[in-house]
Amino acid sequence: MAPPRHLLAVAVALLVAGPSSAQPDPASPFLQQHCLSCHHGEKAKGGFRADQLSADLADPANRERWREVVEQIKSGEMPPEGRPRPDAAAAKAFVARVEQADTARRAATGRVPLRRLNRVEYERTVCDLLGVTLDLREFLPPDAAANGFDTSSGGQHVSSFLMERYLDAADAALNAAISNSPKAPPVVSKRLSLKDERHVKVTTEKVFRYRDDGLVMFSSSPWQAITLSQFYPPDRDIYRFRVSATAVQSGGKSIPLRIDAGPMLMASKNHHVGYFDIAADKATTIEFTDHLEARSTIRIVPYGLTSAQAVHKVGADTWDGPGVLVHAVEVEGPLHDAWPPASHRRLFGDLPQAPAANNRNRVEVMSKAPEADAEHVVRDFARRAFRRPVTDADVRPFVAVANRRLADGATFEQAVRAGLTGVLVSPHFLYLREPIGRLDDFALAARLSYFLTSAPPDDELLALAADGRLGNIDVLRAQTNRLLDGPRAAAFHESFVGQWLGLRDIDFTEPSHILYPEYDHALRVAMVREAELFFAAVLKDDLPLTNFVASDFSLLNARLALHYGIPDVDGWDFRRVRLPSKSHRGGVLTMAAVMKVTANGTSTSPVVRGAWVMDRILGTPPPKPPPDIPAVEPDIRGATTIREQLAKHRATASCAACHAKIDPPGFALESFDVIGGYREHYRTTGRGQPVVIDGRRMLYLNGPKVDPSDVLPDGARFANIDGLRQLLLRDKDQLARALAVKLVAYGTGGPPEPADRIEIERIVADVRAKGYGFRALVHTVVQSKLFREK
């Protein structure tokens, strides 16, 4: 039998626990005398509670609190003026004890605690290992983030519940990889007409035009999207689709076609396939493959056309507006080169299958030497799963599980599955095994691969590691370039950008349809894609990282260019566009996606956006506000501006110092609304002037005028976002330093510590000498001690 499930959680918990080290004293007389009088209880000054400090420096949150105490004492900021000053020798001794304890902790455990694969890495690793396509993230609870990233070990915890979910995910993955069907499912090859769809036949609205060569769709209304109900495959598998279509009555312009896939009746299970440009006056063939669950299909709808009501009022046969003529949809699949599928052969090789004893319609893998073959299958799987060579001791527990199952009367396949399941829930698989001190070549291969691809090291990396060559500077640089230039680097663009800029929260709020009626799915997709493609372009061409603050180009398509007011950009496909000098755009600060995730659905806040700039761009996150200070809620009625409200807020002594740093960049970004559109007036629902667009009066009003000017703490003034960006560029070293810290935190599982300041400054000096190239920064981080040591 497989080991009891609760014991797996215990094993992982024991593995994660690090050795004990010297500890600071939370009952220190120094703390009692100089700190606890102000910093204890629910009304602790500044929200900092010294009475909650513990001796456990393995706890990242507790460790940061101790470091804050040390920094305040070393800087002389605490105790504050008016309070008794501590004896210099006593203060020095107290600081020394804390720092010595932290040094001992780091020597025993390394800078970064043992790190577990996050959900994305887990899914990509299992799918890569088994050769399957499967959504495994839905099995696991959301990852907690620490230091801004879900790759950080500081935010990772393990529980019996999590181990149960890993077991369920392992079962699902093995079910998908192992085939028990005696023959391949029949291949379907159909050419379908949308004219035969039930929705088209039964709709009472006259929104579709029948033609001999297909069906014309004139409306983008969601309820007039056409689901391909003629095709609902019984098996989950990979299918190929070809959609042939032509834009008609469009004045020679292309029209985007949106395609989604899934069960359709369960919206949460659907996924977006893409937007595709349909050319005018000639047929465009869209071809794509998609992994469909059983009883799933695709749905098609044009983008950017009129409402169904408008077409119905005139009638589709006489409607003279643009539309998309869909000639046919071809479907082919499931797609398999051989049977059993590659995923099955990857596990069992050429071992034969035979009908199962209790079900003649089901086949199972058989063996004439079950114990020897079970060991061979499990050992080979463990070697690939553990991302390093395995010893007899490594595989013995999993082989023993398989042998016990054989002894209990299980079939060969059932026994092997039990052993493989054990491998997939083993700490050696779930965690990145990194030795204290300098990483060995296999640990370096794994760290590099998960950093740049969110996936396990490939054969080339593992071969170099086996030869002991990956640690060579030139080889490591070449491999870094190979991964950055390869297709798997798209995961780095998506994952790092999504967390660094906060774009994973793009759907956290839904903009008000009254205030922002122009917001739609296509804009949401385009704004996120801009950020990812811009990041990739700066990285590919080794452009100065200052481009993230101010750039004269971006990657746009027609939908986003329309939103930005930039002319002469057509079609859905993205391309590099030089930004007009007066566009107030350039860099990530002014991207629509960033503006959206730093706003709620109705209003913007200089405080939120200013704090975002300080943290994500400058690397100087502001402290959390005192718990007794209420947040400022913007007035969307237009009675008062956010600047007027903040002026009262900043009059509070406990708020003024921080807001002098936070508010200025936030005010500069007030020129951009909730969805990243440039504005000179706030949109309101109360007081204001009517707004008419294309002859239609909007439901919102033009409210108070936006004032994006302010002054930085050093006295430098700016009139708008253009001026602020130039002021930020004065300190390129700080921009490089902040981004280096983010890359280290993301790529190694933890941020640099105070003891790492010298190494961070070495990285900054190196990238300064290379013109602040962003690709050069990535290389310098990978070559650094911070990356190459635990």
Side-chain angles (χ1 to χ4, degrees):
M1 294 177 61
R5 294 191 169 204
H6 71 278
L7 293 183
L8 294 170
V10 173
V12 174
L14 291 174
L15 180 70
V16 175
S20 62
S21 62
Q23 297 174 326
D25 182 11
S28 161
F30 185 93
L31 282 176
Q32 300 288 334
Q33 182 177 355
H34 298 290
C35 304
L36 288 176
S37 60
C38 294
H39 296 284
H40 76 282
E42 294 182 358
K43 296 185 179 181
K45 292 290 183 64
F48 184 86
R49 295 189 59 175
D51 59 326
Q52 291 185 338
L53 291 167
S54 78
D56 181 18
L57 287 182
D59 175 8
N62 182 58
R63 189 163 66 243
E64 286 304 313
R65 288 194 293 270
W66 275 109
R67 287 175 180 163
E68 187 173 346
V69 171
V70 167
E71 288 298 317
Q72 293 292 319
I73 293 172
K74 289 173 72 173
S75 68
E77 293 186 29
M78 290 291 165
E81 293 184 15
R83 305 289 298 181
R85 307 299 297 174
D87 176 75
K92 184 177 180 180
F94 173 81
V95 167
R97 173 163 183 173
V98 177
E99 290 182 336
Q100 288 168 5
D102 198 24
T103 300
R105 183 271 316 166
R106 179 160 170 164
T109 66
R111 177 179 63 86
V112 182
L114 195 62
R115 181 171 93 75
R116 174 169 50 81
L117 300 178
N118 62 29
R119 291 199 307 169
V120 171
E121 293 167 336
Y122 174 84
E123 179 182 279
R124 290 173 64 86
T125 301
V126 172
C127 290
D128 181 89
L129 183 63
L130 294 174
V132 297
T133 301
L134 196 64
D135 182 4
L136 294 174
R137 278 175 278 184
E138 65 176 7
F139 285 91
L140 305 178
D143 295 308
N147 309 299
F149 299 103
D150 62 10
T151 57
S152 176
S153 58
Q156 296 179 336
H157 305 282
V158 76
S159 65
S160 58
F161 171 76
L162 179 61
M163 296 310 300
E164 290 276 355
R165 302 305 294 156
Y166 276 131
L167 282 163
D168 292 339
D171 287 341
L174 290 173
N175 286 339
I178 299 172
S179 172
N180 296 114
S181 175
K183 58 182 180 180
V187 175
V188 173
S189 183
K190 294 183 177 180
R191 181 179 174 87
L192 306 173
S193 172
L194 297 190
K195 292 186 291 185
D196 296 326
E197 287 298 330
R198 182 175 182 277
H199 170 71
V200 174
K201 291 180 177 180
V202 303
T203 184
T204 58
E205 294 184 308
K206 300 176 183 179
V207 294
F208 303 116
R209 180 185 297 171
Y210 287 79
R211 286 183 30 165
D212 292 341
D213 55 350
L215 184 79
V216 184
M217 305 174 70
F218 287 114
S219 171
S220 294
S221 298
W223 51 89
Q224 295 302 345
I226 298 178
T227 297
L228 197 64
S229 59
Q230 301 171 71
F231 176 72
Y232 273 105
D235 304 299
R236 69 174 304 277
D237 224 312
I238 299 176
Y239 297 85
R240 179 181 292 113
F241 294 87
R242 295 185 187 90
V243 180
S244 177
T246 304
V248 297
Q249 301 175 185
S250 63
K253 293 185 176 181
S254 64
I255 298 175
L257 192 68
R258 173 180 173 176
I259 301 179
D260 298 285
M264 297 306 154
L265 295 179
M266 300 173 61
S268 62
K269 299 289 186 179
N270 296 339
H271 61 272
H272 179 59
V273 176
Y275 287 91
F276 304 89
D277 280 328
I278 304 301
D281 303 324
K282 64 177 181 178
T284 299
T285 299
I286 303 164
E287 181 172 327
F288 62 93
T289 59
D290 200 86
H291 197 284
L292 293 180
E293 295 296 327
R295 311 304 301 171
S296 295
T297 189
I298 64 170
R299 180 171 56 194
I300 300 171
V301 64
Y303 172 73
L305 303 185
T306 191
S307 67
Q309 294 92 326
V311 180
H312 175 69
K313 186 176 181 179
V314 176
D317 290 340
T318 56
W319 178 256
D320 60 0
V324 172
L325 166 62
V326 180
H327 302 289
V329 178
E330 297 177 46
V331 184
E332 180 184 2
L335 303 177
H336 291 290
D337 295 330
W339 197 260
S343 59
H344 181 99
R345 301 194 304 275
R346 185 176 295 193
L347 290 173
F348 293 107
D350 295 327
L351 286 174
Q353 291 180 301
N358 58 350
N359 186 346
R360 307 303 292 178
N361 295 321
R362 185 178 187 274
V363 294
E364 283 194 8
V365 180
M366 301 296 178
S367 171
K368 294 180 180 180
E371 291 189 1
D373 284 338
E375 180 174 357
H376 173 76
V377 172
V378 170
R379 180 181 293 274
D380 181 68
F381 186 70
R383 175 186 58 79
R384 293 185 289 115
F386 296 167
R387 305 171 285 274
R388 57 175 173 78
V390 294
T391 64
D392 290 343
D394 288 330
V395 300
R396 188 177 297 121
F398 312 109
V399 174
V401 168
N403 286 337
R404 283 198 299 272
R405 292 282 284 150
L406 286 171
D408 291 340
T411 65
F412 173 76
E413 183 180 302
Q414 291 169 345
V416 170
R417 280 184 63 126
L420 299 180
T421 299
V423 171
L424 289 175
V425 297
S426 164
H428 298 290
F429 173 71
L430 297 175
Y431 285 81
L432 298 180
R433 302 292 294 173
E434 298 175 339
I436 304 298
R438 193 172 182 85
L439 301 181
D440 61 43
D441 275 25
F442 285 100
L444 181 60
R447 179 175 279 192
L448 180 66
S449 187
Y450 282 109
F451 174 37
L452 298 180
T453 71
S454 298
D458 59 15
D459 290 342
E460 184 170 334
L461 275 177
L462 292 175
L464 289 169
D467 291 342
R469 297 170 53 205
L470 186 58
N472 177 276
I473 291 177
D474 293 333
V475 173
L476 183 58
R477 181 178 184 83
Q479 288 301 306
T480 301
N481 277 328
R482 181 177 70 86
L483 295 181
L484 288 175
D485 293 336
R488 298 201 304 172
F492 177 47
H493 309 155
E494 179 181 343
S495 181
F496 181 77
V497 171
Q499 297 184 78
W500 171 41
L501 302 183
L503 304 192
R504 286 187 175 180
D505 293 331
I506 195 72
D507 294 323
F508 187 72
T509 60
E510 183 71 17
S512 165
H513 69 280
I514 294 176
L515 290 169
Y516 299 98
E518 67 267 43
Y519 183 77
D520 59 20
H521 179 267
L523 179 58
R524 176 250 185 245
V525 171
M527 59 173 60
V528 173
R529 193 67 181 136
E530 176 197 19
E532 295 169 353
L533 291 174
F534 181 78
F535 178 89
V538 175
L539 177 61
K540 178 179 180 295
D541 296 335
D542 194 25
L543 300 179
L545 57 87
T546 52
N547 277 273
F548 292 125
V549 171
S551 175
D552 63 359
F553 79 96
S554 192
L555 282 296
L556 306 177
N557 68 356
R559 180 65 188 91
L560 198 57
L562 176 66
H563 187 56
Y564 288 173
I566 295 174
D568 303 324
V569 179
D570 297 320
W572 176 260
D573 290 341
F574 284 77
R575 80 289 318 258
R576 185 165 173 155
V577 175
R578 187 172 183 84
L579 298 171
S581 59
K582 296 182 179 180
S583 69
H584 306 293
R585 301 282 176 180
V588 300
L589 288 174
T590 61
M591 287 184 178
V594 170
M595 294 296 91
K596 183 183 183 305
V597 299
T598 55
N600 61 30
T602 58
S603 61
T604 59
S605 168
V607 177
V608 174
R609 286 179 169 173
W612 185 95
V613 173
M614 292 183 66
D615 178 19
R616 312 301 173 99
I617 304 301
L618 300 178
T620 55
K624 294 181 180 180
D628 56 339
I629 301 298
V632 176
E633 297 294 338
D635 179 11
I636 65 169
R637 298 168 301 172
T640 58
T641 66
I642 187 66
R643 182 181 289 272
E644 292 168 340
Q645 291 176 283
L646 280 173
K648 298 177 182 179
H649 196 65
R650 293 168 72 170
T652 304
S654 60
C655 302
C658 286
H659 278 276
K661 301 175 183 178
I662 298 172
D663 294 354
F667 280 131
L669 294 174
E670 282 295 277
S671 291
F672 301 92
D673 62 28
V674 164
I675 58 174
Y678 186 78
R679 66 185 177 188
E680 294 183 352
H681 292 266
Y682 292 98
R683 294 185 184 184
T684 74
T685 57
R687 302 178 183 178
Q689 298 299 315
V691 177
V692 179
I693 298 178
D694 294 334
R696 185 165 64 96
R697 180 168 175 169
M698 298 291 102
L699 297 177
Y700 61 85
L701 304 172
N702 260 348
K705 188 174 178 61
V706 173
D707 179 3
S709 65
D710 209 2
V711 56
L712 296 178
D714 65 0
R717 294 184 176 276
F718 58 86
N720 54 27
I721 183 60
D722 300 330
L724 174 69
R725 288 184 299 187
Q726 294 308 308
L727 293 176
L728 295 181
L729 292 177
R730 294 179 303 175
D731 193 351
K732 297 181 179 64
D733 276 8
Q734 183 56 32
L735 300 177
R737 187 177 297 113
L739 192 49
V741 168
K742 298 293 185 186
L743 288 169
V744 169
Y746 175 82
T748 68
E753 298 180 342
D756 301 315
R757 287 171 181 163
I758 293 176
E759 184 68 3
I760 287 295
E761 292 310 310
R762 190 194 68 77
I763 292 173
V764 172
D766 185 83
V767 76
R768 182 195 312 126
K770 296 174 180 175
Y772 297 97
F774 181 46
R775 195 179 183 103
L777 174 61
V778 172
H779 276 295
T780 304
V781 166
V782 169
Q783 300 281 356
S784 71
K785 289 176 60 178
L786 290 170
F787 193 87
R788 301 187 62 168
E789 295 181 0
K790 180 170 169 56

